Amino acid sequence: MPQAAKSPKSSTRAKKITAPLRNSDIAELLALQAETAKMPAQKALRRASRRALMWPEEAAEILRAGRSLTDLAGVGPYIERVIKDWLQDPPAVPIPPPIRRNFFTYADTQTILGKKPTWLASIKGDLQMHTTWSDGEGSIAEMADAAVERGYEYIAITDHTKGLKIAGGINEEQVREQAEEIAAVNHSLRSDGENLQVLRSVELNLNPRGEGDMDEQCLAALDIVVGCFHSSLRGKQDQTERYLAGLRNRSINILGHPRGRIYNFRLGLIAEWRRVFDLAAELDKAVEIDGYPDRQDLSIDLVRLAKKSGCKISLSTDSHGPSQLRFIEYSAAIALKAGIPPERILNFMSREDLLDWASKRRE
Ligand SMILES: [Zn+2]
């Protein structure tokens, strides 16, 4: 069997053979090959594995059309040769380990969304993104322009708060200054006859006790608040209590990227998720599907669980630049595939209803 020689080893997990290989298979093969490769190949393989989640087309299709795979992000001549060998002679692909499991590729999202074209078109806004005020690359006006392109009614600007120094978190004074810039952007949107409104928000940094790092009065003045954990994300112990405490934090509406997982880098936290989602439902708060491709957090298995609890779901991109607003297709696809009813998704609400819900939940 010639393909046995090419198949990345080091796994006793169940294997499947799919032909042609899909980008999800290629991502897994690249990650596996990286485990035994030497530098610098290892780094290139790991990067290509992560980038494969974002490739706009199936690599197999590109090759079939006689085009070069180096058009794809993260693919140079070396990676192209590796992938070509696999496509020509497909090895068995193991089921990914938990650190790479339940991630959709962009090609997957297109298949899912293609089954219900109205779904994506019904999304009225994006509820997590960063600007140059913290660690984003675009200004508020640039993010707003990209949102107008998508036909949105609203976007929430959720720069990091002061406790997260590494991401340039902003303090209360800066939040107030940012309000003036948002007001000016909204004013110019209105004078241009645009329907978009930029909402004031933050990605509130929560400590493991569920407490925020900002003055509550400052948060009360915002339109909507996302709360996220960014510390102690590698513990193996059950973290249910931290999530329950985070949800009970009166300042927040949405629990953002709940697991804290990153593709092939960090598994994320463990909790009795059913209890977490049940409390979110009881308090009428939302849990997020962060669509950033290497987060996809909540993952689909947990979104299915959240569906049973009946809590609200927030879709976001966690964009760090205007071009990343397209990542909404990942969160939208996960919600659709999990069968979340539209009325439970914040992003299907009108701006008025969303703002009404957000302010009532924080009274
Ligand atoms: Zn975050």
Side-chain angles (χ1 to χ4, degrees):
M1 289 274 287
Q3 69 216 53
K6 286 196 186 114
S7 168
K9 43 181 188 291
S10 85
S11 176
T12 53
R13 290 186 294 271
K15 296 185 179 188
K16 62 180 169 93
I17 301 223
T18 45
L21 292 178
R22 294 161 60 235
N23 288 352
S24 49
D25 301 316
I26 294 170
E28 180 57 21
L29 291 171
L30 288 164
L32 275 177
Q33 184 117 321
E35 287 174 7
T36 51
K38 296 203 170 58
M39 291 298 273
Q42 183 190 82
K43 197 171 170 200
L45 288 159
R46 279 182 66 90
R47 188 178 54 225
S49 169
R50 188 159 38 88
R51 290 300 189 86
L53 301 177
M54 303 180 216
W55 292 342
E57 295 171 75
E58 294 286 0
E61 298 288 336
I62 292 176
L63 213 58
R64 197 173 305 136
R67 287 152 50 210
S68 168
L69 296 181
T70 54
D71 290 350
L72 298 170
V75 181
Y78 161 68
I79 300 285
E80 179 179 46
R81 205 164 55 241
V82 170
I83 296 174
K84 264 185 173 169
D85 283 351
W86 288 332
L87 284 169
Q88 275 153 17
D89 192 359
V93 184
I95 291 169
I99 204 163
R100 296 192 292 270
R101 197 172 298 165
N102 287 325
F103 283 90
F104 288 111
T105 64
Y106 186 75
D108 293 334
T109 67
Q110 298 312 290
T111 309
I112 296 165
L113 294 170
K115 291 184 179 140
K116 193 166 182 181
T118 54
W119 189 257
L120 195 60
S122 312
I123 291 178
K124 297 186 170 67
D126 187 334
L127 295 173
Q128 197 202 150
M129 66 188 64
H130 302 265
T131 71
T132 47
W133 281 86
S134 62
D135 59 350
E137 285 168 5
S139 65
I140 294 169
E142 286 166 339
M143 299 307 282
D145 286 345
V148 166
E149 290 288 305
R150 299 195 69 92
Y152 284 161
E153 281 183 24
Y154 48 84
I155 51 170
I157 298 295
T158 58
D159 281 301
H160 292 287
T161 54
K162 61 185 179 185
L164 202 64
K165 298 262 179 331
I166 192 170
I170 56 177
N171 62 25
E172 288 82 352
E173 183 52 35
Q174 290 167 303
V175 168
R176 278 186 287 271
E177 286 168 26
Q178 191 188 52
E180 291 170 25
E181 189 175 324
I182 289 176
V185 170
N186 280 333
H187 181 79
S188 105
L189 286 167
R190 271 195 308 276
S191 7
D192 292 347
E194 302 294 355
N195 187 28
L196 180 80
Q197 185 181 330
V198 179
L199 306 183
R200 294 184 60 201
S201 184
V202 288
E203 179 180 355
L204 181 67
N205 188 40
L206 300 175
N207 68 24
R209 292 180 304 283
E211 300 157 345
D213 60 350
M214 298 285 272
D215 174 53
E216 284 182 24
Q217 266 178 316
C218 168
L219 299 174
L222 302 177
D223 294 314
I224 191 164
V225 176
V226 184
C228 294
F229 294 108
H230 295 105
S231 54
S232 310
L233 296 177
R234 287 185 180 270
K236 299 260 186 297
Q237 265 92 32
D238 180 279
Q239 299 290 315
T240 308
E241 290 307 320
R242 93 149 75 175
Y243 288 108
L244 301 182
L247 283 168
R248 286 196 189 100
N249 184 323
R250 294 167 56 90
S251 297
I252 78 153
N253 298 115
I254 300 166
L255 192 59
H257 55 67
R259 294 180 59 181
R261 74 172 186 162
I262 307 275
Y263 178 79
N264 207 20
F265 174 71
R266 190 172 63 214
L267 187 55
L269 295 173
I270 296 158
E272 287 175 65
W273 291 106
R274 187 62 198 258
R275 284 179 61 205
V276 175
F277 301 145
D278 281 352
L279 182 65
E282 188 188 318
L283 300 173
D284 195 19
K285 295 199 175 187
V287 291
E288 182 187 66
I289 306 176
D290 182 318
Y292 205 87
D294 59 10
R295 284 190 179 270
Q296 302 192 34
D297 180 6
L298 294 168
S299 50
I300 184 141
D301 49 325
L302 294 188
V303 177
R304 288 193 171 115
L305 206 58
K307 180 187 172 191
K308 288 186 195 146
S309 289
C311 60
K312 287 210 162 54
I313 301 286
S314 174
L315 308 182
S316 84
T317 56
D318 203 347
S319 287
H320 285 70
S323 69
Q324 296 182 347
L325 289 186
R326 69 184 178 93
F327 295 162
I328 199 73
E329 304 194 8
Y330 292 83
S331 13
I334 293 168
L336 177 60
K337 181 97 174 162
I340 301 292
E343 62 273 17
R344 295 246 314 275
I345 297 175
L346 299 183
N347 314 62
F348 288 147
M349 287 179 167
S350 69
R351 187 164 62 218
E352 290 67 32
D353 288 350
L354 176 73
L355 290 173
D356 190 46
W357 171 83
S359 62
K360 283 207 177 103
R361 297 285 81 72
R362 288 182 294 141
E363 263 162 20

